[in-house]
């Protein structure tokens, strides 16, 4: 999942949309088609290329059944987030839009007294989870680029270590990441999206053309235990685009069409789920237990066409890294600047230095955790699950608690089931991912 991350990145769209749409005087409101394109672009990428590994951990039939279930729960939680945000905006006549962290804060502020004092804390926690998720995306980018480039170099007899290959990628990735203005970065978005889409289509075509597909009877139909935990983390990672929901809805000419029964959200998620399912089913059927964390890594590194596909996918990720990094900095930099006197006196100089350090940190994490599929599962289990399931349920409870009659038995039961699923996924998925990462580390 997501290596070629979020086709140009989930947060890239989030950042751009928030800047433009945070006011009702926005110069351009998007159509239904444009909203679908933004949501699709923000959700497809990293997770999509890891669908083969996702199916390996879930089984052909098991994963095919569970993927739509996870998608339905994700959409339901996103609907709860939208409802909470709309109610929060209605209470504040001067507000036109609240993003995810602000929605959590405002809902808790208007909730029962015991919850009001938690408003600032909850906003901070959501911001931190978004930041950690974004940091993980950036580190995964390094791993994805490096592994594909390393395969190509080895096919030409250039025998250097994976770590050295990653170091070679550091400088080119760092230069655009030091830019503090998004307008100088965002033009690469279209190219990154095209490269990722080309990489996916070409990879699947090569999978079909490279001999007959194995029989599904040769593959595991169901998986249980620890592997299923890894499946859950990877699946949640791929669907985790909840931070995009509010900005995209607010950007539309007719926002009501976003969350209607046959609106932008439901239709987009249906298409995305079908694409994930098809990619995962084909990838696991083709390569079985040998499927890699990114399906591009299963292509023959000595084949020229395969090399071109790997390069295209790696370029897509490379040009997406600065945008992902920019959004992470948008979360981290304001509090750093506020609490550092020198940053207030020399904001540009200090910010560039801080960006330099943060790029090195993402590089360091990627260097320490080179197992792409395990890294994806860890981020998905820990952060994506919390953002996609846990916090929307908290919002729903707090909002409904303001009108006790809205807290019926069905609401309690439904929300508790979601929380139980989320907590099981977080605990088992995080534990298993860390366990596998540690085991892989010692094996290397």
């Amino acid at each position: 999942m997501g290596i070629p991350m979020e086709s140009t990145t989930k947060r890239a769209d989030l950042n751009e949309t928030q800047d433009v749409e945070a006011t009702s005087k926005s110069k351009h409101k998007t159509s239904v088609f444009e909203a679908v394109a933004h949501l699709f672009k923000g959700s497809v990428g990293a997770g999509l290329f890891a669908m083969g590994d996702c199916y390996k951990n879930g089984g052909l039939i098991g994963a095919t059944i569970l993927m739509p279930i996870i998608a339905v729960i994700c959409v339901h939680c996103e609907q709860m987030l939208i409802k909470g945000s709309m109610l929060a905006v209605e209470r504040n006549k001067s507000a036109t839009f609240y993003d995810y962290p602000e929605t959590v804060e405002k809902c808790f502020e208007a909730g029962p007294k015991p919850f009001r004092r938690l408003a600032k804390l909850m906003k901070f926690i959501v911001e931190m989870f978004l930041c950690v998720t974004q940091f993980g995306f950036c580190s995964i980018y390094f791993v994805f680029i490096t592994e594909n480039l390393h395969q190509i170099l080895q096919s030409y007899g250039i025998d250097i270590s994976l770590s050295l290959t990653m170091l070679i990628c550091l400088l080119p990735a760092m230069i655009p990441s030091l830019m503090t203005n998004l307008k100088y970065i965002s033009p690469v978005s279209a190219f990154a999206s095209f490269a990722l889409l080309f990489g996916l289509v070409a990879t699947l075509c090569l999978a079909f053309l490279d001999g007959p597909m194995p029989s599904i009877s040769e593959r595991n139909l169901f998986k249980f235990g620890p592997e299923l935990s890894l499946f859950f983390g990877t699946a949640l990672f791929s669907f985790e685009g909840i931070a995009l929901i509010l900005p995209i809805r607010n950007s539309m000419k007719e926002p009501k069409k976003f969350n209607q029964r046959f609106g932008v959200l439901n239709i987009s998620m249906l298409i995305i789920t079908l694409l994930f399912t098809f990619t995962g089913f084909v990838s696991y059927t083709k390569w079985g237990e040998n499927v890699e964390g990114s399906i591009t890594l299963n292509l023959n590194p000595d084949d020229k066409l395969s090399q071109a596909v790997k390069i295209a996918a790696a370029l897509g990720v490379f040009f997406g890294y600065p945008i992902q990094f920019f959004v992470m900095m948008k979360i981290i930099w304001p509090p750093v600047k506020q609490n550092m006197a020198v940053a207030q006196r020399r904001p540009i100089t200090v910010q560039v230095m801080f960006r330099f350090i943060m790029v090195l940190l993402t590089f360091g994490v990627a260097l320490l955790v080179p197992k792409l599929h395990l890294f994806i599962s860890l981020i998905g289990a820990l952060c994506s699950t919390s953002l996609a399931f846990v916090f929307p349920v908290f919002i729903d409870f707090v909002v409904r608690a303001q009108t006790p009659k809205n807290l019926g038995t069905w609401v309690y039961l439904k929300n508790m089931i979601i929380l139980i699923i989320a907590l099981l996924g977080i605990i088992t998925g995080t534990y298993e991912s860390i366990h596998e990462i540690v085991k892989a580390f010692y094996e290397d």
Side-chain angles (χ1 to χ4, degrees):
M1 294 201 165
I3 10 256
M5 236 40 136
E6 290 34 81
S7 29
T8 296
T9 91
K10 298 176 175 170
R11 293 319 167 236
D13 287 303
L14 169 62
N15 181 67
E16 294 174 7
T17 310
Q18 280 181 313
D19 289 344
V20 179
E21 316 303 342
T23 171
S24 59
K25 296 181 180 180
S26 168
K27 294 181 180 180
H28 174 67
K29 292 290 185 178
T30 58
S31 64
V32 169
F33 177 79
E34 289 172 323
V36 171
H38 284 316
L39 187 56
F40 183 85
K41 170 187 173 186
S43 300
V44 173
L48 182 58
F49 280 78
M51 273 294 116
D53 181 71
C54 185
Y55 262 64
K56 181 180 73 173
N57 291 317
L60 277 180
I61 296 179
T64 302
I65 294 173
L66 291 174
M67 286 296 290
I69 294 176
I70 292 176
V72 169
I73 298 176
C74 284
V75 170
H76 178 70
C77 290
E78 288 163 353
Q79 294 282 9
M80 290 193 291
L81 175 62
I82 292 171
K83 181 179 178 181
S85 181
M86 292 170 61
L87 290 174
V89 170
E90 287 176 6
R91 295 191 195 97
N92 190 342
K93 301 303 179 182
S94 63
T96 58
F97 167 67
Y98 287 128
D99 63 11
Y100 194 165
E102 291 171 337
T103 295
V104 173
E105 179 186 29
K106 298 303 178 184
C107 287
F108 270 73
E109 284 180 351
K113 286 186 178 180
F115 294 97
R116 295 175 189 174
R117 65 184 64 183
L118 298 175
K120 296 293 184 183
L121 175 62
M122 292 301 295
K123 178 184 179 182
F124 173 78
I125 292 174
V126 171
E127 287 179 332
M128 288 303 97
F129 271 79
L130 287 171
C131 185
V132 170
T133 302
Q134 202 64 33
F135 186 92
F137 287 168
C138 292
S139 297
I140 290 170
Y141 270 40
F142 263 123
V143 179
F144 179 84
I145 297 168
T146 301
E147 288 190 346
N148 281 276
L149 180 60
H150 187 250
Q151 275 194 351
I152 295 174
L153 291 176
Q154 286 191 320
S155 68
Y156 283 96
I158 304 176
D159 190 18
I160 61 176
S161 67
L162 195 65
S163 301
L164 183 56
T165 306
M166 192 175 293
L167 186 62
I168 293 173
C169 299
L170 176 61
L171 183 60
M174 179 175 288
I175 294 175
S177 299
L178 299 180
M179 298 179 182
T180 59
N181 194 321
L182 184 62
K183 71 178 181 179
Y184 300 123
I185 303 173
S186 56
V188 304
S189 174
F191 175 80
S193 297
F194 173 79
L196 293 176
L197 184 59
F198 170 79
L200 172 67
V201 174
T203 300
L204 293 179
C205 287
L206 289 174
F208 280 111
L209 294 174
D210 184 26
M213 295 289 288
S215 171
I216 61 174
S217 62
E218 300 177 27
R219 305 296 178 229
N220 290 304
L221 302 183
F222 295 93
K223 290 287 188 71
F224 302 96
E227 290 178 310
L228 199 59
S229 299
L230 296 176
F231 160 82
F232 184 82
T234 306
L236 256 295
F237 178 91
S238 66
F239 281 118
E240 199 282 295
I242 193 169
L244 286 176
I245 300 303
L246 296 178
I248 292 178
R249 182 184 184 278
N250 188 68
S251 73
M252 294 181 63
K253 297 175 184 176
E254 301 176 89
K256 291 182 179 180
K257 291 186 177 181
F258 183 85
N259 50 310
Q260 289 176 343
R261 177 173 298 179
F262 298 102
V264 170
L265 179 58
N266 290 348
I267 296 300
S268 299
M269 288 302 292
L270 174 62
I271 296 172
I272 291 169
T273 303
L274 291 174
L275 182 59
F276 282 162
T277 302
F278 176 77
T279 302
F281 194 96
V282 170
S283 302
Y284 180 53
T285 301
K286 177 64 179 180
W287 292 296
E289 300 304 309
N290 295 320
V291 69
E292 299 283 354
S294 168
I295 56 177
T296 57
L297 297 175
N298 283 104
L299 300 179
N300 181 5
D302 297 320
D303 179 68
K304 301 299 182 183
L305 182 57
S306 296
Q307 291 175 3
V309 173
K310 292 173 185 287
I311 292 174
L315 284 175
V317 174
F318 172 77
F319 285 111
Y321 177 89
I323 303 174
Q324 287 278 25
F325 185 82
F326 183 93
V327 181
M328 180 180 70
M329 289 300 302
K330 192 172 179 65
I331 300 173
I332 299 177
W333 173 243
V336 172
K337 179 181 178 181
Q338 184 178 356
N339 292 285
M340 289 182 62
V342 64
Q344 297 176 25
R345 294 194 303 268
R346 301 174 180 273
I348 300 298
T349 302
V350 176
Q351 183 177 172
V352 170
M353 293 176 61
F354 186 68
R355 284 171 174 268
F356 177 81
I357 294 172
M358 291 305 298
V359 172
L360 289 180
L361 284 177
T362 62
F363 167 77
V365 171
L367 195 63
L368 291 173
V369 190
K371 299 297 182 179
L372 184 62
H373 61 295
L374 297 177
F375 204 163
I376 290 173
S377 294
L378 176 61
I379 296 298
L382 179 60
C383 299
S384 299
T385 305
S386 299
L387 292 170
F389 286 1
V390 177
F391 294 115
V393 170
F394 286 171
I395 290 173
D396 191 57
F397 269 134
V398 172
V399 168
R400 290 179 181 274
Q402 299 167 39
T403 310
K405 65 179 181 180
N406 288 336
L407 278 174
T409 303
W410 160 245
V411 173
Y412 271 116
L413 181 62
K414 178 260 299 179
N415 283 353
M416 290 308 299
I417 289 175
I418 295 175
L419 280 180
I420 290 172
I421 293 173
L423 290 176
L424 285 174
I426 291 172
I427 295 171
T428 61
T430 301
Y431 171 81
E432 189 60 28
S433 297
I434 293 176
H435 177 263
E436 291 296 323
I437 288 172
V438 172
K439 186 169 69 173
F441 181 81
Y442 280 108
E443 287 177 353
D444 292 342

